[in-house]
Amino acid sequence: MVITGHWIDQTWHLQKRILNFIYLPPPRRGMDIANAIWRCLEEWSIESKVHTVSVDNASANGVAINNLKDFITRKKPLLCDGSLFHVKCCAHILNLIAQDGLSEIKDIIDIIRDSVEYVRRSDARLKIFTEIVKQLNLSDKKLIDDCRTRWNSTYEMLAAAIKFKDVFPRFADRDLHFEGCPSEEDWKKAEKVCSVLEVFWTTTHIFSGSDYPTSNLFLNEVSRVKVVLDEKSLDSDAFIKDMTAKMKIKFDKYWGESNLLMSVAAVLDPRCKMRALQFCFPKLYSPQQVKEETARVRQTLNELYSEYVSMYNIEHSSGQVPRDDGLQSEQSKNSESLCGWSEYATFLRSVESIQPQKSELDMYLQENCYMSDKQNGRELNVLEWWRIHELKYRILSIMANDILAIPITSVAFEASFSVSSRVIDKFRASLNAYTVQVLMCGGDWLRQRFGVKRKTKVDKKAIQIILPFDDEASKDN
């Protein structure tokens, strides 16, 4: 089990470190998981600094979160009485929904996969296939193998193969041993499924980023997925209609109610604020639910802000930090009271009353959203915006610092689409558990310390499963 810590440092840069790599023997119950995480937190002395825990949707994890919440609340109160503590992995939920879509064409996927493997398995056959591609003047040049346990890999294989759908029948005419060529109906169904899964593929890529905040991006992306499912569920094609109906059931199971934490994170994005709720909620809920969920998010925002005001002892009425920090000597205080400015300050306080000031939250929400001409949603560095406005929103910036650090996925980018467990191969399985922990944690911290990046491009033919630690890691260590 890998435990990763996420936080935003004093310079407003997102940080991520592997805190522990734990061998968890069977039966791996929820209590065992909770105890292992708690021991890790105690070793790092951060048990009172944890705001949320992001995990996938396994039943044992639900039990672990409940136990962990009980442990932590004995140390300190959780935000909003713990209602924000449990963060469900969004990539895992998207994975489950996408798998429901792919299951509708399992037999067709097998036919297309076998056809792709047949062509790629022989240089001679690949040469014939390439000649036909050139004759048809197709711009795409390459077929792609897939990893069967990663739905995105299957999607990419299908998307690439569809571009060559006119080539396969001609290839079958030239190669008499080629059997099982996909039919025209097979290609049509594959195209329809890919048109739905494309939005899942894009959204999962966005959710799985580790170099930028993702919690503030959740609302817009999930509403886009919902719009696609709603549109396809009304399609005249019975095949697409039935497929998306099944996917919508899974969507509503996990995201039928608003995710409070992610809605709060969207509001703390200066491009969104409450406008994000006005834009996204009508796509997700009925008119009555929109009012209820919007009020619930606003109430949560107010509660959160009040808790932060209380925690950091900043007076709500004047926004002033208490001046006496206990560091001034009695002599310096006496000398200040005798100076001319002190007399003027006393006079000023007697003739001018302090007007009640709006809270930072109210001021922030009343200001216009940040707007840009660019449409990709990534033109603004949200953390840099908060760094610049830190003095203006002293308490709200602390709240944003904590909320925007929360990851909405519990897996690394390379494994976001995996439906199988990560494994250690037979050579590394003989390593002592403590040695593996040292290699994993030490390698991660050293890479961060010296700015070494992992290679993201891998040979699709050679790598079948993303391992929790690879050859590059062993070289670094």
Side-chain angles (χ1 to χ4, degrees):
M1 180 172 67
V2 181
I3 302 175
T4 309
H6 299 254
W7 73 97
I8 294 171
D9 63 21
Q10 293 181 342
T11 61
W12 286 90
H13 288 94
L14 188 62
Q15 301 290 343
K16 176 175 72 78
R17 299 288 190 280
I18 294 178
L19 302 179
N20 214 339
F21 185 76
I22 304 169
Y23 170 65
L24 203 62
R28 292 183 281 275
R29 299 168 301 175
M31 178 59 75
D32 300 329
I33 296 172
N35 288 334
I37 296 174
W38 181 252
R39 283 193 296 271
C40 174
L41 299 180
E42 286 188 319
E43 288 175 1
W44 284 94
S45 299
I46 57 173
E47 63 271 22
S48 62
K49 297 183 178 181
V50 176
H51 289 302
T52 63
V53 177
S54 303
V55 293
D56 64 26
N57 302 302
S59 57
N61 285 338
V63 176
I65 290 297
N66 291 333
N67 283 284
L68 202 58
K69 185 189 295 186
D70 181 56
F71 297 161
I72 292 177
T73 50
R74 296 177 186 275
K75 284 276 186 179
K76 66 146 195 176
L78 288 169
L79 296 175
C80 292
D81 199 28
S83 61
L84 309 180
F85 183 70
H86 184 185
V87 180
K88 295 181 179 180
C89 176
C90 295
H92 185 248
I93 295 173
L94 285 173
N95 197 345
L96 295 175
I97 301 172
Q99 287 295 333
D100 281 351
L102 287 173
S103 65
E104 294 296 309
I105 58 167
K106 184 179 181 300
D107 295 339
I108 297 174
I109 291 173
D110 290 338
I111 293 172
I112 296 176
R113 178 186 290 122
D114 291 343
S115 299
V116 171
E117 288 180 354
Y118 181 82
V119 172
R120 287 176 57 87
R121 201 177 298 137
S122 165
D123 289 341
R125 292 195 288 264
L126 192 58
K127 184 178 180 181
I128 296 173
F129 192 89
T130 304
E131 289 176 355
I132 300 173
V133 170
K134 290 180 179 178
Q135 289 173 359
L136 297 178
N137 198 28
L138 299 177
S139 57
D140 297 283
K141 306 292 183 184
K142 190 177 181 182
L143 291 171
I144 300 175
D145 285 334
D146 75 320
C147 174
R148 301 184 184 213
T149 60
R150 296 175 61 194
W151 78 262
N152 79 307
S153 178
T154 301
Y155 163 78
E156 290 166 359
M157 181 271 292
L158 289 175
I162 286 170
K163 297 173 183 177
F164 299 102
K165 64 180 182 180
D166 295 330
V167 178
F168 281 98
R170 292 169 172 80
F171 177 80
D173 293 338
R174 298 193 187 189
D175 189 328
L176 300 179
H177 298 287
F178 179 47
E179 299 176 354
C181 179
S183 66
E184 186 65 28
E185 185 63 24
D186 291 339
W187 288 119
K188 287 181 179 179
K189 288 186 176 181
E191 286 177 331
K192 291 174 181 177
V193 171
C194 285
S195 68
V196 176
L197 292 183
E198 183 179 8
V199 68
F200 286 82
W201 184 85
T202 304
T203 301
T204 306
H205 270 271
I206 294 172
F207 281 178
S208 303
S210 58
D211 297 329
Y212 53 86
T214 54
S215 56
N216 57 308
L217 305 176
F218 169 88
L219 201 57
N220 278 308
E221 298 304 323
V222 167
S223 64
R224 192 161 65 100
V225 171
K226 181 65 160 53
V227 168
V228 170
L229 291 179
D230 286 341
E231 289 177 351
K232 296 296 183 180
S233 66
L234 301 175
D235 198 282
S236 57
D237 189 304
F239 170 75
I240 285 293
K241 190 174 182 178
D242 293 341
M243 182 191 76
T244 51
K246 185 178 179 182
M247 297 171 77
K248 278 187 67 175
I249 292 173
K250 188 66 65 69
F251 182 97
D252 292 336
K253 176 183 177 181
Y254 291 103
W255 288 326
E257 293 183 358
S258 69
N259 187 313
L260 274 178
L261 182 63
M262 302 313 169
S263 299
V264 168
V267 173
L268 292 175
D269 187 325
R271 299 164 297 183
C272 301
K273 301 188 179 181
M274 295 299 288
R275 297 292 187 192
L277 309 189
Q278 297 174 15
F279 178 73
C280 297
F281 277 9
K283 300 178 182 179
L284 296 168
Y285 313 113
S286 66
Q288 181 61 32
Q289 283 180 303
V290 169
K291 293 180 181 179
E292 294 173 356
E293 297 295 344
T294 302
R296 198 160 70 103
V297 172
R298 185 56 203 261
Q299 181 183 355
T300 303
L301 273 168
N302 292 333
E303 290 177 4
L304 262 179
Y305 180 75
S306 297
E307 289 182 24
Y308 273 85
V309 169
S310 176
M311 277 191 293
Y312 291 92
N313 196 29
I314 295 180
E315 298 177 6
H316 188 277
S317 59
S318 64
Q320 297 291 328
V321 178
R323 295 180 183 181
D324 186 5
D325 57 4
L327 300 178
Q328 288 181 295
S329 66
E330 193 67 32
Q331 183 178 358
S332 64
K333 292 178 183 178
N334 292 336
S335 63
E336 286 182 2
S337 65
L338 299 175
C339 69
W341 185 263
S342 175
E343 294 178 3
Y344 171 72
T346 303
F347 164 75
L348 195 63
R349 281 194 291 270
S350 67
V351 297
E352 291 194 10
S353 59
I354 299 176
Q355 296 297 323
Q357 182 178 317
K358 295 178 181 178
S359 71
E360 292 176 10
L361 178 61
D362 290 335
M363 288 192 300
Y364 169 77
L365 294 178
Q366 287 174 7
E367 291 181 354
N368 291 333
C369 296
Y370 175 90
M371 290 184 289
S372 173
D373 295 333
K374 297 182 180 179
Q375 304 295 321
N376 61 6
R378 296 282 302 281
E379 77 285 350
L380 174 69
N381 184 332
V382 176
L383 300 185
E384 179 65 14
W385 189 95
W386 278 107
R387 186 191 68 79
I388 294 172
H389 294 81
E390 188 173 9
L391 292 178
K392 181 178 181 181
Y393 302 111
R394 289 173 300 161
I395 191 68
L396 194 62
S397 64
I398 299 173
M399 180 171 143
N401 187 290
D402 291 337
I403 298 296
L404 294 175
I406 298 170
I408 59 177
T409 61
S410 62
V411 289
F413 173 79
E414 294 84 0
S416 294
F417 310 90
S418 180
V419 294
S420 67
S421 300
R422 294 215 247 172
V423 298
I424 296 178
D425 63 25
K426 62 182 180 180
F427 300 105
R428 294 191 175 92
S430 61
L431 290 175
N432 178 276
Y434 179 74
T435 304
V436 176
Q437 175 187 335
V438 170
L439 292 173
M440 283 289 294
C441 298
D444 179 69
W445 281 73
L446 287 171
R447 275 188 288 271
Q448 294 290 339
R449 172 67 178 82
F450 296 104
V452 178
K453 297 289 185 180
R454 285 181 179 272
K455 293 180 179 178
T456 55
K457 292 183 179 180
V458 295
D459 184 351
K460 295 181 182 292
K461 293 178 67 177
I463 303 299
Q464 293 297 314
I465 299 177
I466 301 296
L467 301 176
F469 105 113
D470 54 21
D471 291 337
E472 184 181 359
S474 60
K475 290 177 184 177
D476 291 344
N477 292 310

